[in-house]
Amino acid sequence: MQNKMYKLKDSEVVRFRNNTCLCIGTGRMGLALQKEYFEQLKLIQETIGFKWIRGHGLFHEDMSIYQEYKTEDGVVVPEFNFTYLDLVMDSYLELGIRPFLELGFMPKAIASGDQSVFYWQGNVTPPKDYAQWNDLVAATLQHLIERYGAKEVTSWPIEVWNEPNLNYFWKDADRKEYFKLFRETIYTVKKVDSNFRVGGPAICGVDDVSWLRDFLDFCRDEKIPIDFITRHLYTISVPERDGRYGYPKLRPLSKACSETDVSREIIDSYPEFRGMEMHVTEFSTSYSPRTPIHDTNINAAYIAFLLSRLGDTCESYSYWTFGDIFEEWGVPFTPFHGGFGLVANGKITKPAYWTFKFFKDLGNGECIHRSDEAIVLKKQDGTYRGIAWNVAAAKEGEEIRLCFTFEDSVSGGSEYCIVTRTVDEDTCNPLKIWHDIGEPANLSPAQGSLLREGASPLVATQRICGAPSVELKLGANALVYFEMFPVKTASDRGFDYKRAVNVEFVKE
Amino acid sequence: MQNKMYKLKDSEVVRFRNNTCLCIGTGRMGLALQKEYFEQLKLIQETIGFKWIRGHGLFHEDMSIYQEYKTEDGVVVPEFNFTYLDLVMDSYLELGIRPFLELGFMPKAIASGDQSVFYWQGNVTPPKDYAQWNDLVAATLQHLIERYGAKEVTSWPIEVWNEPNLNYFWKDADRKEYFKLFRETIYTVKKVDSNFRVGGPAICGVDDVSWLRDFLDFCRDEKIPIDFITRHLYTISVPERDGRYGYPKLRPLSKACSETDVSREIIDSYPEFRGMEMHVTEFSTSYSPRTPIHDTNINAAYIAFLLSRLGDTCESYSYWTFGDIFEEWGVPFTPFHGGFGLVANGKITKPAYWTFKFFKDLGNGECIHRSDEAIVLKKQDGTYRGIAWNVAAAKEGEEIRLCFTFEDSVSGGSEYCIVTRTVDEDTCNPLKIWHDIGEPANLSPAQGSLLREGASPLVATQRICGAPSVELKLGANALVYFEMFPVKTASDRGFDYKRAVNVEFVKE
Amino acid sequence: MQNKMYKLKDSEVVRFRNNTCLCIGTGRMGLALQKEYFEQLKLIQETIGFKWIRGHGLFHEDMSIYQEYKTEDGVVVPEFNFTYLDLVMDSYLELGIRPFLELGFMPKAIASGDQSVFYWQGNVTPPKDYAQWNDLVAATLQHLIERYGAKEVTSWPIEVWNEPNLNYFWKDADRKEYFKLFRETIYTVKKVDSNFRVGGPAICGVDDVSWLRDFLDFCRDEKIPIDFITRHLYTISVPERDGRYGYPKLRPLSKACSETDVSREIIDSYPEFRGMEMHVTEFSTSYSPRTPIHDTNINAAYIAFLLSRLGDTCESYSYWTFGDIFEEWGVPFTPFHGGFGLVANGKITKPAYWTFKFFKDLGNGECIHRSDEAIVLKKQDGTYRGIAWNVAAAKEGEEIRLCFTFEDSVSGGSEYCIVTRTVDEDTCNPLKIWHDIGEPANLSPAQGSLLREGASPLVATQRICGAPSVELKLGANALVYFEMFPVKTASDRGFDYKRAVNVEFVKE
Amino acid sequence: MQNKMYKLKDSEVVRFRNNTCLCIGTGRMGLALQKEYFEQLKLIQETIGFKWIRGHGLFHEDMSIYQEYKTEDGVVVPEFNFTYLDLVMDSYLELGIRPFLELGFMPKAIASGDQSVFYWQGNVTPPKDYAQWNDLVAATLQHLIERYGAKEVTSWPIEVWNEPNLNYFWKDADRKEYFKLFRETIYTVKKVDSNFRVGGPAICGVDDVSWLRDFLDFCRDEKIPIDFITRHLYTISVPERDGRYGYPKLRPLSKACSETDVSREIIDSYPEFRGMEMHVTEFSTSYSPRTPIHDTNINAAYIAFLLSRLGDTCESYSYWTFGDIFEEWGVPFTPFHGGFGLVANGKITKPAYWTFKFFKDLGNGECIHRSDEAIVLKKQDGTYRGIAWNVAAAKEGEEIRLCFTFEDSVSGGSEYCIVTRTVDEDTCNPLKIWHDIGEPANLSPAQGSLLREGASPLVATQRICGAPSVELKLGANALVYFEMFPVKTASDRGFDYKRAVNVEFVKE
């Protein structure tokens, strides 16, 4: 057991920016037509509520946007079909969320090659002719503006392509070609409406430093009107594979954010781009949709650490992804399969869901404590809210006892109530329940209910008198949310709680 | 800590009849028009699902059934208004529940006196003229048959009046007058349709033994075609009063069912009535809607004991009541106020709600264990289900450790999963949470959410190898539900649970 | 057949103010707890959407606000119970509507006498002691502010009592006593929060001229900080009675608004009150809840005339009432019973519902035509919307043919689409359907469906080329809504409407 | 105007079997995952309620059932993934509908060739190896039985493949190969559970007579345990093409059912198969998803004729299809596009939807009239229900006046009510409204509402005295439903309908 004692003063405010709810990731756009997808996103929006949603596949075949036909003279004429795009956007807006538009991948009909990525075969080659690509981009944005209004649509950020520094996402990871794509695209977008905000290069992990420098050089040299920089962040080693699954190791917390820190430094080193917004348009621990870590309690704790830090360097950071309707490596065989989602299929909340719910409830305020295992805010209404976690990789069972005392609070004779919500391996661990019932591939209704019941935090309250303080015990990989506020009891006439709960037997 | 060890054999079946879900009590019928009432009942029906619902006030003024007007000649003519009755019955049927019709109280216009009961002033005097009462009863049943069909409506049991042995429910507790009412009513009902089933005398607690004997003598002597006997059961001493509230003591478990046992014996002592159905049309610990015991964990444990026993002597036993939309002592000032309901206003499930949910889930099967703190069934599908409780009145903190070993089960190399759901003072105690946050009279939305979150059992699973056994630790006033079933794991290709949860850090 | 031709010019704007959706009437507040009430109001809010709702009975016994108890020393102490008030206000806010608070009637416990009004017995006597009344008012407003915030609650207008000029609503119709009540109340309210807006005297029809003058004299002389004037408007003669029902005659259109016109003149004749807001806190044709006129098509047409005029003199005008859950004369025996509602029980929209729906859809814009049978607006988006009606009392069958030509519209080669929605005795007349099926008191599900189906307008469209014009044929008591807008057709590749609908048989 | 008079007698019962609600068609199974699909089917099931649903694509790639992987030794191992299948079946069962399982098309991985059909590229070649196909079929059925139970799943009829007599649905339309497929499949299915019922050959229109004879010869000769015969029925000529659309002609009514009549005769000519069930697993007017006739009123009238006849020869007849989420020719560009659905995208009911609703409401009873334009039933409750239609191809504007008199009904002094629901080109013609507003490709919310409003029948009632008779006027392509039942009016005390609707003005 580690003991950690902290004295907190309202006057000692530390750095913290909570942009947790700005953006969330999603499986490809065509999946947004699905009922189960909608229901998972509805659950997320009703309880957390993100502003933007970002994923791949806007121009993929299953969205049917790009079509063409031959005239009698044999001329090929493009046609744009927005039937499904409207269905998707209508349902996003119905749920109070907006797209962070990623422009990609390439419709086969206008692609220069056959190379594709994923089970669903997204084409990753440049266009045969940039004019065709530009027409597609312009027609799509123009349609959205006609349907939803320019004010609405130009508030949706636009990102050009996905991870072009990886050769399975962009043919040959060809930098010059990407810069061309970027230039063509940004000018096309700005021509439709100059209020659109456009960014890139959406790079990820490999050779990212030189890529980012080259990209910024290009933007500076060609005076590209870029609005923000995007990149991705994953914090694992290369997974060891077994069958469908991968088992990676986690970067220690000290190195968890090094990629974003370095990117921030590079951007700020350019006078032209100093302070420019950086959006992490994907982040998680693992970058594979078959790494069981996503479903575990350690993931919840580790993500809590990330959410406490990423606002230092980034404008938004989009967890990859909200749910498990996701097909990059095919349709999952089982409800728990190491998918990216905060919610497993069957609408089962995973531990990391609670990390987001807790940072949503934490909200903003003055940060009076931030460490590797906790964050505490003083809220405008005078109450305190905090989150604590215990990333216990390879240190099974090591419990942390955290104790906060609040020095500046008005106390005296008054009383406080402390509410805690605990997510740990005993109280909110649906993966364990699923394992214990035999890892069923297809959940019966009763199994689904059991898993949903077993996927909620333990809620507890306590009353304390005198000086305000909060003591938390964090088992391995625990995540705890707390609130503390002053309480005055005004009991109803004749109501006496102690008497209420101390019932005696009639003596015989 | 008490240790209790039991070896259970499938062949040793003990007595137990689970009729938990036959009937549930309700506030007066006029309240069934309310939206909050409907929503609470909907929650109950979706998760537990009772067959019948019984309460007072069918003929009370707020249902507006009995009306009259004067002709120009000054003749008073009765009119029957079924607008509200239909609204109530429609919503009952929509929720899959049927009325257990209690005929009462007396419309003022045809009552012989002014005496009334409750804040809502139900008139408790005999009719001025039994012909008027009979017309009212017949017209009401006739209307129901026209609207819902004879087959449906004659399946609704009918009870004549409520607690006529108490002088605040029936003027002077006049036995002879009640017998007259019963005779008039049963013949009126049977004349409408002889398939109706009719019972009484709905007595409660005081002088009940002589009342029941006199009533049975009357039925026998006058050859009344009675179909079943009804009575009530409450298990407390007279409460001490403080302001609005009462604080009673509980009868020890050994005496909890003595009233129904005695009634059963009396009935069976008549050759004419031997084995006749007895319906407990009201039961709970306390008979007052302002006794905080209703909201506590000990109530849940005590009711569990009752549900394990009442089927021995009774056909149905109707918990009084499903929810806290209830006005006998006026409208409650606070969400927790010692009301009868399984659900508090704000749709917060009280501990006793879980007692019913657990007995619903227990269902039927072969009972292989019944004691003062537990019941265990072997289900037809070969699995085991059980419920355990620890009624810890005045013995705060005494924990029970229960251990069941199952002798006859197929074991060998196989594995079992045990699911437990625990309701106790730490894990599912909304009354404590409400107290800790200051006993607010009017819940904010956030307070309502917190209370609903804190009103669910802790769900846990475990896997055991070898001989099947279940060990339960029951803190004071705990209630635990468990299931045990054999498990074979068929892991997805490459999925390894241990590897999944034992994540290591990358070495630096 | 009357032919009426109008040439409309965009430049000739006439007077019209559309405040249709500001306020709507309701049965007493206690009924707002009911499920059927909520569902009817939900239907209204989802399709029309009023800002405020006003009715009686805030302080009536069924709301249980005023309570009292005796201490051991025999002192009577008041207690305020806001359980039901919160349920009602929560459901109003959930539906996006706010109360226009009418303070009344008098709780029996603090009333000076026994006189009551209505089946539900609202006490209409002054308080025994104004201090008790003031405490009740202050406590109630204070509670609402605590729960919903001062900004929200002070936006709810407050009216003092109801129709004190009628002796069945205020004992002896005692003016001086009312002025005292008004003075006590307004100062109490403003003391709670000076931002509250308070008005009166809520008079109706009888001797209203002298009452209003006396009231304004009183306010002027005593410098009462009144914020607005309220009155009621009904447009019928005294009904002839038959059984439960009344059959009144209608005032001709020329006199329909004379009461509000006169009130406006009186107010404006006071320099202190010139231009002060006047709210018609109740209006309809008939003032009785058993006059079948409410359910007819002529009512819809007549109310259309009123909605085209009342904005000239009044800030708001609150139709009495949105639905038929209403008990002033008892619970109705039949779904159609001449109740006040826009919606009949069973969620059946009456013809007058469509009057409100159409004025809602009309919205605001430049009024280019207003006559005794129509109103036409040019909307900001360049389209035209209008409503026409044919109040055909005692002139059965006289059809009107209305023809509007639009002189200033851009026309030339372009095309227009005209959408019409027709409510008349053939196309949207649920009262007739109910009569034809035998006037059933209790609707079966199939009958309810039939009535709902038969309670919708006939929707039609037409395309016109050349000069824009609209021709409408209005049968007796018809009500027609129309829109006209320019259309350009962009047919899908190969789609030909004429060919689509002219299908031929294969020749044999 | 044609006048047609019929005297109907209860004793003269004619042939008619109403199996309208047994089966309905659907777009490919993968589309059943979509939210819009679910909502359209929900609307259909709540108002019509079919027993079975049949479509293509069970084994198509987007359902992801057939998967395979290579072991380290390079052996390819099949894996079956039922994640999506369960989602689809769960949602079907939630909506009270069951699959009529069509086994097809071929997963690419086990197909012998590349030939595919449709935009979504269903592979139409035989399996490389029948053992692989049989494993797939067996594994799928086995999984369904495990999840839903054998009793449930074996009640789902099974059909082998789709339209193998057409070479774009089955390579080379190879009969022998189909017979092999059939034999392999039926034995595989019966081996899983002998209670499954299996049929074929699902032929359509071209050379169907010789195909059916060959198939029956094969079944007879090889003693194939076939349970029923299936075929399709479309009633148009080859459409003329223009762009995306086709414009066919309709077969005259006299030849509408000739294909099913001939098939019935062929089947009955085999002693072994005489009287065997024939299921029409697809029918409509046009067989193409881009023929605007599907959206017209003539389609509704023509389908009414078919529904009045098909029960003579067929057990079930499955309209192709319930909704317009359908991709065989790609995603539609516009809401009205000549798609197969009863419901257009946007949940707009097309005229043919009402044909099904009316036959659903017609139900069963004794048929006392059947002609080319009407059908009339006497129901068990003594009321009459009927449907009339006027297929007015190429005879625009010819109105039919139909008059039925009922000779045997009890009449005398009693009264009757006649309810009519009219669908015709003026009252329920959303295609016209869509055309009139400019044929918008993407409906705004207001346009969607307008179209849904304009897609309901005109409902009217009338009261007749004396001899019962029904007179109907049917405009071109009208469809009318009627009910006639005796009425006795019991007016509420004082209610007088005539007085209610004849309101006079106050005389000035």
Side-chain angles (χ1 to χ4, degrees), chain B residues 31 33-36 38 61-62 64 67 79-84 86-87 91 94 119 143 147 244 325-327 331-334 345 441-445, chain C residues 31 33-36 38 61-62 64 67 79-84 86-87 91 94 119 143 147 244 325-327 331-334 345 441-445:
Chain B
L31 296 174
L33 296 164
Q34 288 199 14
K35 175 173 170 271
E36 172 73 15
F38 181 84
E61 273 62 31
D62 65 349
S64 288
Q67 303 289 318
E79 293 185 303
F80 302 107
N81 183 321
F82 299 117
T83 296
Y84 279 176
D86 287 358
L87 277 180
S91 72
E94 182 185 338
Y119 173 86
H143 168 75
R147 186 166 176 81
R244 240 185 286 283
I325 293 292
F326 193 90
E327 294 185 357
V331 178
F333 283 67
T334 52
N345 294 338
N442 301 82
L443 300 176
S444 70
Chain C
L31 296 174
L33 296 164
Q34 288 199 14
K35 175 174 169 271
E36 172 74 16
F38 180 84
E61 272 63 32
D62 66 349
S64 288
Q67 302 290 317
E79 293 184 304
F80 302 108
N81 183 320
F82 299 117
T83 296
Y84 279 175
D86 287 358
L87 277 180
S91 72
E94 183 185 337
Y119 172 88
H143 169 75
R147 186 164 176 83
R244 241 185 284 282
I325 291 292
F326 193 89
E327 295 185 356
V331 177
F333 282 68
T334 52
N345 294 338
N442 300 84
L443 301 176
S444 69

Side-chain angles (χ1 to χ4, degrees), chain B residues 452-471:
Chain B
R452 281 186 291 274
E453 283 173 58
S456 290
L458 181 67
V459 175
T461 50
Q462 57 180 125
R463 285 278 280 276
I464 56 170
C465 294
S469 67
V470 171
E471 184 183 316

